[in-house]
Amino acid sequence: MIKGSCLCGSVQYEITGKIDDIVHCHCGTCRKAHSAVFSSVAAVQDKDFRLLSSDSLKSYESSKGKSRYFCGDCGSQIYAKRINTPHIVLRLGTLDSKIDAVEQAHIWVSEKADWFHLESQLPKNPEF
């Protein structure tokens, strides 16, 4: 069982299936919605995703037919859903459990932030 939650814990979920094909989305709407250079996401089948507590869950239709679901208290993005699809797009930053999946690709790099360099070899520090 895979578990996840928002920053404040008001929205909690569980996943009974696998998480595969992690991608980092650089599209402009993901960057704006997450206030980050990209959003790490993976598709999760609707049948495998269950909200455990969702009183604070809000949604916003960011583009026609696509809604983004987030905590109305702390603002954490939880998932996105397009109409007529059998899956959600899970925001992996909300995972509480470890997973075995590995990243597959950077997508929408045509819209990436101009100051972010995919090939960067910046130092990797264990803490600030």
Side-chain angles (χ1 to χ4, degrees), residues 75-125:
S76 294
Q77 294 270 331
I78 308 296
Y79 66 95
K81 177 72 176 162
R82 286 193 186 277
I83 57 172
N84 300 321
T85 61
H87 64 277
I88 61 156
V89 179
L90 183 68
R91 308 315 186 179
L92 298 177
T94 63
L95 286 173
D96 295 325
S97 301
K98 291 185 178 190
I99 59 172
D100 292 333
V102 294
E103 56 191 353
Q104 300 295 315
H106 287 266
I107 61 174
W108 285 100
V109 294
S110 61
E111 294 186 15
K112 77 173 191 58
D114 59 357
W115 52 266
F116 179 74
H117 303 284
L118 288 170
E119 61 284 338
S120 175
Q121 295 298 314
L122 293 173
K124 294 164 180 66
N125 303 309

Short mmCIF file of all heavy atoms in Angstrom, two decimals, residues 75-125:
data_model
loop_
_atom_site.label_atom_id
_atom_site.label_comp_id
_atom_site.label_asym_id
_atom_site.label_seq_id
_atom_site.Cartn_x
_atom_site.Cartn_y
_atom_site.Cartn_z
N GLY A 75 -2.58 24.30 0.40
CA GLY A 75 -2.28 24.58 -1.00
C GLY A 75 -1.54 23.48 -1.75
O GLY A 75 -1.28 23.63 -2.95
N SER A 76 -1.19 22.38 -1.09
CA SER A 76 -0.45 21.31 -1.78
C SER A 76 -1.26 20.77 -2.96
O SER A 76 -2.43 20.43 -2.82
CB SER A 76 -0.18 20.14 -0.82
OG SER A 76 0.69 20.49 0.20
N GLN A 77 -0.61 20.68 -4.12
CA GLN A 77 -1.21 20.04 -5.29
C GLN A 77 -1.18 18.53 -5.06
O GLN A 77 -0.13 17.98 -4.73
CB GLN A 77 -0.41 20.37 -6.54
CG GLN A 77 -0.44 21.82 -6.92
CD GLN A 77 -1.59 22.13 -7.85
OE1 GLN A 77 -2.03 21.29 -8.62
NE2 GLN A 77 -2.06 23.35 -7.78
N ILE A 78 -2.31 17.86 -5.23
CA ILE A 78 -2.37 16.42 -4.98
C ILE A 78 -2.39 15.63 -6.30
O ILE A 78 -1.59 14.72 -6.49
CB ILE A 78 -3.63 16.05 -4.14
CG1 ILE A 78 -3.72 16.90 -2.88
CG2 ILE A 78 -3.63 14.56 -3.83
CD1 ILE A 78 -2.60 16.71 -1.89
N TYR A 79 -3.30 15.97 -7.19
CA TYR A 79 -3.38 15.27 -8.47
C TYR A 79 -4.14 16.13 -9.48
O TYR A 79 -4.73 17.15 -9.14
CB TYR A 79 -4.05 13.90 -8.33
CG TYR A 79 -5.51 13.92 -7.93
CD1 TYR A 79 -6.52 13.86 -8.89
CD2 TYR A 79 -5.89 13.97 -6.59
CE1 TYR A 79 -7.86 13.87 -8.52
CE2 TYR A 79 -7.22 13.97 -6.21
CZ TYR A 79 -8.21 13.92 -7.18
OH TYR A 79 -9.52 13.92 -6.81
N ALA A 80 -4.08 15.69 -10.72
CA ALA A 80 -4.86 16.31 -11.79
C ALA A 80 -5.68 15.21 -12.46
O ALA A 80 -5.34 14.03 -12.39
CB ALA A 80 -3.95 16.97 -12.82
N LYS A 81 -6.78 15.62 -13.08
CA LYS A 81 -7.65 14.66 -13.75
C LYS A 81 -8.23 15.28 -15.01
O LYS A 81 -8.77 16.38 -14.97
CB LYS A 81 -8.78 14.25 -12.79
CG LYS A 81 -9.81 13.32 -13.37
CD LYS A 81 -9.29 11.93 -13.56
CE LYS A 81 -10.39 10.98 -14.06
NZ LYS A 81 -9.86 9.78 -14.63
N ARG A 82 -8.06 14.60 -16.12
CA ARG A 82 -8.71 14.98 -17.37
C ARG A 82 -10.00 14.16 -17.50
O ARG A 82 -10.02 12.99 -17.12
CB ARG A 82 -7.82 14.69 -18.58
CG ARG A 82 -6.68 15.64 -18.73
CD ARG A 82 -6.03 15.48 -20.10
NE ARG A 82 -4.85 16.28 -20.20
CZ ARG A 82 -4.85 17.58 -20.51
NH1 ARG A 82 -5.98 18.19 -20.76
NH2 ARG A 82 -3.72 18.26 -20.58
N ILE A 83 -11.03 14.79 -18.05
CA ILE A 83 -12.27 14.06 -18.24
C ILE A 83 -12.04 12.91 -19.23
O ILE A 83 -11.17 12.99 -20.09
CB ILE A 83 -13.43 14.98 -18.69
CG1 ILE A 83 -13.08 15.72 -19.98
CG2 ILE A 83 -13.79 15.97 -17.60
CD1 ILE A 83 -14.25 16.49 -20.57
N ASN A 84 -12.80 11.85 -19.05
CA ASN A 84 -12.77 10.69 -19.94
C ASN A 84 -11.42 9.98 -19.98
O ASN A 84 -11.04 9.45 -21.03
CB ASN A 84 -13.22 11.07 -21.35
CG ASN A 84 -14.62 11.63 -21.36
OD1 ASN A 84 -15.49 11.14 -20.64
ND2 ASN A 84 -14.85 12.66 -22.15
N THR A 85 -10.69 9.97 -18.87
CA THR A 85 -9.46 9.19 -18.78
C THR A 85 -9.61 8.21 -17.62
O THR A 85 -10.32 8.49 -16.65
CB THR A 85 -8.21 10.07 -18.55
OG1 THR A 85 -8.37 10.78 -17.31
CG2 THR A 85 -8.01 11.06 -19.69
N PRO A 86 -8.92 7.07 -17.69
CA PRO A 86 -9.04 6.07 -16.63
C PRO A 86 -8.02 6.25 -15.50
O PRO A 86 -7.81 5.36 -14.69
CB PRO A 86 -8.79 4.75 -17.37
CG PRO A 86 -7.80 5.15 -18.43
CD PRO A 86 -8.21 6.55 -18.86
N HIS A 87 -7.34 7.40 -15.48
CA HIS A 87 -6.29 7.60 -14.49
C HIS A 87 -6.25 9.05 -14.00
O HIS A 87 -6.81 9.95 -14.63
CB HIS A 87 -4.93 7.24 -15.09
CG HIS A 87 -4.55 8.14 -16.23
ND1 HIS A 87 -4.99 7.93 -17.51
CD2 HIS A 87 -3.80 9.26 -16.27
CE1 HIS A 87 -4.53 8.88 -18.30
NE2 HIS A 87 -3.80 9.71 -17.56
N ILE A 88 -5.57 9.23 -12.88
CA ILE A 88 -5.25 10.56 -12.39
C ILE A 88 -3.77 10.79 -12.67
O ILE A 88 -3.03 9.85 -12.97
CB ILE A 88 -5.52 10.72 -10.87
CG1 ILE A 88 -4.65 9.74 -10.08
CG2 ILE A 88 -6.99 10.55 -10.56
CD1 ILE A 88 -4.38 10.15 -8.67
N VAL A 89 -3.33 12.04 -12.58
CA VAL A 89 -1.92 12.37 -12.67
C VAL A 89 -1.49 12.80 -11.27
O VAL A 89 -1.81 13.89 -10.81
CB VAL A 89 -1.66 13.48 -13.71
CG1 VAL A 89 -0.19 13.82 -13.76
CG2 VAL A 89 -2.16 13.04 -15.07
N LEU A 90 -0.82 11.90 -10.58
CA LEU A 90 -0.43 12.11 -9.19
C LEU A 90 0.78 13.03 -9.09
O LEU A 90 1.75 12.86 -9.83
CB LEU A 90 -0.11 10.77 -8.53
CG LEU A 90 0.26 10.83 -7.05
CD1 LEU A 90 -0.95 11.22 -6.21
CD2 LEU A 90 0.82 9.48 -6.60
N ARG A 91 0.73 13.98 -8.18
CA ARG A 91 1.86 14.86 -7.88
C ARG A 91 2.73 14.15 -6.86
O ARG A 91 2.36 13.98 -5.70
CB ARG A 91 1.38 16.21 -7.35
CG ARG A 91 0.33 16.89 -8.23
CD ARG A 91 0.67 16.85 -9.69
NE ARG A 91 -0.29 17.64 -10.47
CZ ARG A 91 -0.21 17.78 -11.77
NH1 ARG A 91 0.73 17.17 -12.46
NH2 ARG A 91 -1.09 18.51 -12.42
N LEU A 92 3.89 13.69 -7.30
CA LEU A 92 4.70 12.78 -6.49
C LEU A 92 5.31 13.42 -5.25
O LEU A 92 5.71 12.70 -4.33
CB LEU A 92 5.79 12.16 -7.37
CG LEU A 92 5.24 11.31 -8.52
CD1 LEU A 92 6.38 10.79 -9.38
CD2 LEU A 92 4.39 10.17 -8.00
N GLY A 93 5.34 14.73 -5.18
CA GLY A 93 5.83 15.39 -3.98
C GLY A 93 4.97 15.13 -2.77
O GLY A 93 5.39 15.38 -1.64
N THR A 94 3.77 14.61 -2.96
CA THR A 94 2.85 14.34 -1.84
C THR A 94 2.97 12.92 -1.31
O THR A 94 2.28 12.56 -0.35
CB THR A 94 1.39 14.61 -2.24
OG1 THR A 94 1.01 13.73 -3.30
CG2 THR A 94 1.21 16.07 -2.66
N LEU A 95 3.83 12.10 -1.89
CA LEU A 95 3.99 10.72 -1.42
C LEU A 95 4.61 10.68 -0.02
O LEU A 95 5.55 11.41 0.27
CB LEU A 95 4.89 9.93 -2.37
CG LEU A 95 4.29 9.52 -3.70
CD1 LEU A 95 5.36 8.91 -4.59
CD2 LEU A 95 3.12 8.57 -3.51
N ASP A 96 4.07 9.83 0.83
CA ASP A 96 4.65 9.56 2.14
C ASP A 96 5.40 8.23 2.14
O ASP A 96 6.29 8.02 2.96
CB ASP A 96 3.55 9.52 3.22
CG ASP A 96 2.87 10.87 3.39
OD1 ASP A 96 3.55 11.91 3.26
OD2 ASP A 96 1.65 10.88 3.64
N SER A 97 5.04 7.34 1.24
CA SER A 97 5.68 6.02 1.13
C SER A 97 6.81 6.07 0.11
O SER A 97 6.78 6.88 -0.83
CB SER A 97 4.66 4.98 0.66
OG SER A 97 3.59 4.88 1.55
N LYS A 98 7.77 5.18 0.28
CA LYS A 98 8.81 5.02 -0.73
C LYS A 98 8.24 4.17 -1.86
O LYS A 98 7.39 3.31 -1.64
CB LYS A 98 10.03 4.33 -0.12
CG LYS A 98 10.75 5.20 0.88
CD LYS A 98 11.99 4.54 1.37
CE LYS A 98 12.69 5.49 2.32
NZ LYS A 98 14.02 5.06 2.68
N ILE A 99 8.72 4.42 -3.08
CA ILE A 99 8.28 3.64 -4.24
C ILE A 99 9.50 3.17 -5.01
O ILE A 99 10.60 3.73 -4.88
CB ILE A 99 7.34 4.46 -5.15
CG1 ILE A 99 8.03 5.73 -5.66
CG2 ILE A 99 6.05 4.79 -4.42
CD1 ILE A 99 7.24 6.49 -6.70
N ASP A 100 9.31 2.14 -5.83
CA ASP A 100 10.40 1.55 -6.62
C ASP A 100 10.53 2.17 -8.00
O ASP A 100 11.49 1.89 -8.70
CB ASP A 100 10.19 0.04 -6.78
CG ASP A 100 10.34 -0.70 -5.48
OD1 ASP A 100 11.07 -0.21 -4.59
OD2 ASP A 100 9.72 -1.78 -5.33
N ALA A 101 9.58 2.98 -8.42
CA ALA A 101 9.57 3.53 -9.78
C ALA A 101 10.77 4.46 -9.99
O ALA A 101 11.31 5.04 -9.05
CB ALA A 101 8.27 4.28 -10.01
N VAL A 102 11.16 4.59 -11.24
CA VAL A 102 12.25 5.49 -11.59
C VAL A 102 11.77 6.50 -12.63
O VAL A 102 10.82 6.24 -13.37
CB VAL A 102 13.49 4.73 -12.13
CG1 VAL A 102 14.09 3.87 -11.04
CG2 VAL A 102 13.14 3.91 -13.35
N GLU A 103 12.45 7.62 -12.68
CA GLU A 103 12.06 8.66 -13.63
C GLU A 103 12.35 8.20 -15.05
O GLU A 103 13.33 7.51 -15.30
CB GLU A 103 12.77 9.96 -13.32
CG GLU A 103 14.28 9.84 -13.29
CD GLU A 103 14.99 11.05 -12.72
OE1 GLU A 103 14.35 12.08 -12.45
OE2 GLU A 103 16.21 10.96 -12.55
N GLN A 104 11.45 8.58 -15.97
CA GLN A 104 11.56 8.14 -17.36
C GLN A 104 11.95 9.26 -18.32
O GLN A 104 12.64 9.02 -19.30
CB GLN A 104 10.23 7.54 -17.83
CG GLN A 104 9.78 6.34 -17.02
CD GLN A 104 10.71 5.16 -17.18
OE1 GLN A 104 11.11 4.84 -18.29
NE2 GLN A 104 11.06 4.53 -16.08
N ALA A 105 11.46 10.49 -18.04
CA ALA A 105 11.70 11.56 -19.01
C ALA A 105 11.35 12.92 -18.42
O ALA A 105 10.62 13.03 -17.44
CB ALA A 105 10.85 11.33 -20.26
N HIS A 106 11.89 13.95 -19.06
CA HIS A 106 11.45 15.33 -18.88
C HIS A 106 10.53 15.61 -20.06
O HIS A 106 10.90 15.33 -21.20
CB HIS A 106 12.65 16.29 -18.92
CG HIS A 106 13.49 16.25 -17.69
ND1 HIS A 106 13.29 17.09 -16.63
CD2 HIS A 106 14.53 15.45 -17.35
CE1 HIS A 106 14.18 16.84 -15.69
NE2 HIS A 106 14.93 15.84 -16.10
N ILE A 107 9.34 16.15 -19.79
CA ILE A 107 8.41 16.45 -20.86
C ILE A 107 8.12 17.95 -20.91
O ILE A 107 8.34 18.66 -19.93
CB ILE A 107 7.10 15.64 -20.74
CG1 ILE A 107 6.37 15.96 -19.43
CG2 ILE A 107 7.40 14.14 -20.84
CD1 ILE A 107 5.00 15.31 -19.30
N TRP A 108 7.63 18.41 -22.03
CA TRP A 108 7.34 19.82 -22.28
C TRP A 108 8.57 20.71 -22.05
O TRP A 108 8.46 21.84 -21.57
CB TRP A 108 6.15 20.32 -21.44
CG TRP A 108 4.86 19.82 -21.98
CD1 TRP A 108 4.13 18.77 -21.51
CD2 TRP A 108 4.16 20.31 -23.12
NE1 TRP A 108 3.01 18.59 -22.28
CE2 TRP A 108 3.01 19.53 -23.29
CE3 TRP A 108 4.40 21.35 -24.03
CZ2 TRP A 108 2.10 19.74 -24.31
CZ3 TRP A 108 3.49 21.56 -25.05
CH2 TRP A 108 2.36 20.75 -25.18
N VAL A 109 9.74 20.20 -22.43
CA VAL A 109 10.96 21.00 -22.27
C VAL A 109 10.96 22.23 -23.19
O VAL A 109 11.71 23.17 -22.95
CB VAL A 109 12.25 20.16 -22.44
CG1 VAL A 109 12.37 19.14 -21.34
CG2 VAL A 109 12.30 19.50 -23.81
N SER A 110 10.08 22.23 -24.18
CA SER A 110 9.94 23.41 -25.04
C SER A 110 9.43 24.61 -24.24
O SER A 110 9.60 25.75 -24.66
CB SER A 110 9.00 23.13 -26.22
OG SER A 110 7.70 22.80 -25.74
N GLU A 111 8.81 24.35 -23.08
CA GLU A 111 8.29 25.42 -22.23
C GLU A 111 9.07 25.58 -20.93
O GLU A 111 8.66 26.31 -20.03
CB GLU A 111 6.82 25.15 -21.90
CG GLU A 111 5.91 25.22 -23.10
CD GLU A 111 4.43 25.08 -22.72
OE1 GLU A 111 4.07 25.22 -21.53
OE2 GLU A 111 3.63 24.85 -23.64
N LYS A 112 10.21 24.92 -20.81
CA LYS A 112 10.96 24.96 -19.55
C LYS A 112 11.44 26.36 -19.22
O LYS A 112 11.56 27.21 -20.09
CB LYS A 112 12.13 23.98 -19.58
CG LYS A 112 13.33 24.44 -20.37
CD LYS A 112 14.48 23.46 -20.19
CE LYS A 112 15.77 24.02 -20.75
NZ LYS A 112 16.19 25.28 -20.18
N ALA A 113 11.71 26.59 -17.94
CA ALA A 113 12.24 27.87 -17.49
C ALA A 113 13.60 28.10 -18.15
O ALA A 113 14.44 27.19 -18.17
CB ALA A 113 12.37 27.89 -15.98
N ASP A 114 13.82 29.29 -18.66
CA ASP A 114 15.07 29.55 -19.37
C ASP A 114 16.31 29.49 -18.47
O ASP A 114 17.41 29.25 -18.94
CB ASP A 114 15.02 30.89 -20.11
CG ASP A 114 14.77 32.07 -19.21
OD1 ASP A 114 14.57 31.91 -17.99
OD2 ASP A 114 14.78 33.21 -19.74
N TRP A 115 16.13 29.63 -17.18
CA TRP A 115 17.27 29.60 -16.25
C TRP A 115 17.60 28.19 -15.76
O TRP A 115 18.60 27.98 -15.09
CB TRP A 115 17.01 30.52 -15.06
CG TRP A 115 15.69 30.28 -14.37
CD1 TRP A 115 14.51 30.91 -14.61
CD2 TRP A 115 15.42 29.31 -13.36
NE1 TRP A 115 13.51 30.40 -13.81
CE2 TRP A 115 14.05 29.42 -13.02
CE3 TRP A 115 16.19 28.36 -12.69
CZ2 TRP A 115 13.46 28.63 -12.05
CZ3 TRP A 115 15.58 27.58 -11.73
CH2 TRP A 115 14.23 27.71 -11.42
N PHE A 116 16.76 27.20 -16.12
CA PHE A 116 17.01 25.82 -15.70
C PHE A 116 17.72 25.07 -16.82
O PHE A 116 17.30 25.11 -17.97
CB PHE A 116 15.69 25.11 -15.37
CG PHE A 116 15.88 23.67 -14.96
CD1 PHE A 116 16.40 23.36 -13.71
CD2 PHE A 116 15.56 22.64 -15.82
CE1 PHE A 116 16.59 22.05 -13.33
CE2 PHE A 116 15.74 21.32 -15.45
CZ PHE A 116 16.26 21.03 -14.21
N HIS A 117 18.80 24.38 -16.47
CA HIS A 117 19.60 23.65 -17.46
C HIS A 117 19.54 22.15 -17.15
O HIS A 117 20.02 21.71 -16.09
CB HIS A 117 21.04 24.15 -17.47
CG HIS A 117 21.11 25.63 -17.75
ND1 HIS A 117 20.94 26.15 -19.00
CD2 HIS A 117 21.25 26.68 -16.91
CE1 HIS A 117 21.00 27.47 -18.94
NE2 HIS A 117 21.19 27.82 -17.68
N LEU A 118 18.95 21.40 -18.04
CA LEU A 118 18.79 19.95 -17.84
C LEU A 118 20.12 19.25 -17.61
O LEU A 118 20.20 18.28 -16.87
CB LEU A 118 18.09 19.32 -19.05
CG LEU A 118 16.61 19.64 -19.20
CD1 LEU A 118 16.10 19.17 -20.55
CD2 LEU A 118 15.81 19.01 -18.08
N GLU A 119 21.17 19.71 -18.26
CA GLU A 119 22.46 19.04 -18.18
C GLU A 119 23.33 19.55 -17.03
O GLU A 119 24.49 19.18 -16.91
CB GLU A 119 23.22 19.19 -19.51
CG GLU A 119 23.52 20.62 -19.93
CD GLU A 119 22.32 21.38 -20.49
OE1 GLU A 119 21.35 20.76 -20.94
OE2 GLU A 119 22.36 22.60 -20.45
N SER A 120 22.79 20.33 -16.14
CA SER A 120 23.54 20.92 -15.03
C SER A 120 24.17 19.85 -14.14
O SER A 120 23.56 18.82 -13.86
CB SER A 120 22.60 21.79 -14.20
OG SER A 120 23.28 22.26 -13.06
N GLN A 121 25.37 20.12 -13.72
CA GLN A 121 26.07 19.24 -12.79
C GLN A 121 26.32 19.97 -11.45
O GLN A 121 27.40 19.94 -10.89
CB GLN A 121 27.40 18.78 -13.39
CG GLN A 121 27.26 17.91 -14.63
CD GLN A 121 26.52 16.62 -14.33
OE1 GLN A 121 26.80 15.95 -13.36
NE2 GLN A 121 25.56 16.28 -15.18
N LEU A 122 25.30 20.65 -10.98
CA LEU A 122 25.40 21.39 -9.73
C LEU A 122 25.78 20.47 -8.57
O LEU A 122 25.45 19.29 -8.59
CB LEU A 122 24.08 22.08 -9.40
CG LEU A 122 23.65 23.21 -10.34
CD1 LEU A 122 22.24 23.67 -9.96
CD2 LEU A 122 24.62 24.37 -10.23
N PRO A 123 26.44 21.02 -7.54
CA PRO A 123 26.74 20.21 -6.35
C PRO A 123 25.45 19.67 -5.73
O PRO A 123 24.41 20.32 -5.80
CB PRO A 123 27.41 21.20 -5.39
CG PRO A 123 27.86 22.33 -6.25
CD PRO A 123 26.93 22.39 -7.41
N LYS A 124 25.55 18.50 -5.14
CA LYS A 124 24.40 17.86 -4.49
C LYS A 124 24.71 17.74 -3.01
O LYS A 124 25.49 16.91 -2.60
CB LYS A 124 24.11 16.53 -5.14
CG LYS A 124 23.65 16.68 -6.57
CD LYS A 124 23.73 15.39 -7.34
CE LYS A 124 23.28 15.55 -8.77
NZ LYS A 124 24.14 16.40 -9.57
N ASN A 125 24.09 18.60 -2.22
CA ASN A 125 24.35 18.66 -0.79
C ASN A 125 23.28 17.91 -0.01
O ASN A 125 22.09 18.04 -0.31
CB ASN A 125 24.36 20.13 -0.32
CG ASN A 125 25.39 20.94 -1.08
OD1 ASN A 125 26.54 20.54 -1.18
ND2 ASN A 125 24.99 22.05 -1.65
#
